[in-house]
Amino acid sequence: MKQAVYNIGVEATMNIIGGKWKPIILCHLKHQTMRTGQLRRAIPNITQKMLTQQLRELEDDGIVSRKIYSQVPPKVEYSLTEYGDSLNRILEALCLWGEHDIELRKERGENIILLNSENVEPDNVPYVD
């Protein structure tokens, strides 16, 4: 077995959930179980190949579970595992920080549209101006 060496704990976290798509996938799955098509609609810029790859990696890491229903046409659902649920506070903090950043950028005159919100409440944002 290959030995992993990390200089700081966040490296291990980023090794599992890092990248462009995994946090987005996880934020959607923290709200509900979803099928592949639902995830594609929720994340329109991801390709089917990339979505499948990211879901497989998250499944291999024990973060996401895949439930296959034996029916025609095939039905597959993805959800967070109990271990994946342990990421919810981290994911929520990332979502809230991003929403707070968007609000600050809007105040500075940037033209930004946020399609889905976690409902930012200033007292709950893990961010200090």
Side-chain angles (χ1 to χ4, degrees):
M1 177 182 277
K2 185 178 177 184
Q3 181 181 24
V5 177
Y6 300 106
N7 292 307
I8 189 170
V10 73
E11 288 181 62
T13 305
M14 296 308 293
N15 188 49
I16 302 292
I17 68 164
K20 181 176 181 177
W21 300 112
K22 286 181 183 176
I24 297 168
I25 292 167
L26 293 171
C27 281
H28 285 290
L29 291 178
K30 94 180 180 69
H31 295 293
Q32 64 183 338
T33 297
M34 298 179 82
R35 296 175 68 179
T36 307
Q38 291 174 298
L39 282 165
R40 280 291 313 276
R41 286 187 293 281
I43 313 167
N45 294 328
I46 194 171
T47 65
Q48 181 63 48
K49 179 182 176 184
M50 183 58 68
L51 177 59
T52 300
Q53 176 186 331
Q54 300 294 282
L55 286 167
R56 284 185 183 150
E57 289 176 12
L58 289 165
E59 186 180 8
D60 290 344
D61 289 327
I63 305 297
V64 167
S65 69
R66 177 177 55 165
K67 183 173 182 182
I68 302 168
Y69 295 87
S70 57
Q71 65 182 49
V72 177
K75 178 181 174 182
V76 179
E77 291 182 336
Y78 294 91
S79 60
L80 293 180
T81 63
E82 186 176 328
Y83 185 51
D85 279 336
S86 69
L87 290 166
N88 279 341
R89 287 194 345 213
I90 296 168
L91 296 171
E92 186 169 326
L94 288 170
C95 291
L96 292 174
W97 188 94
E99 290 178 26
H100 182 69
D101 180 64
I102 288 168
E103 290 303 316
L104 291 175
R105 291 165 55 196
K106 281 182 174 181
E107 289 171 12
R108 291 192 300 256
E110 289 187 45
N111 185 11
I112 301 171
I113 298 171
L114 177 62
L115 298 176
N116 297 290
S117 174
E118 294 283 328
N119 297 319
V120 173
E121 295 177 24
D123 294 337
N124 295 333
V125 177
Y127 176 85
V128 179
D129 293 301

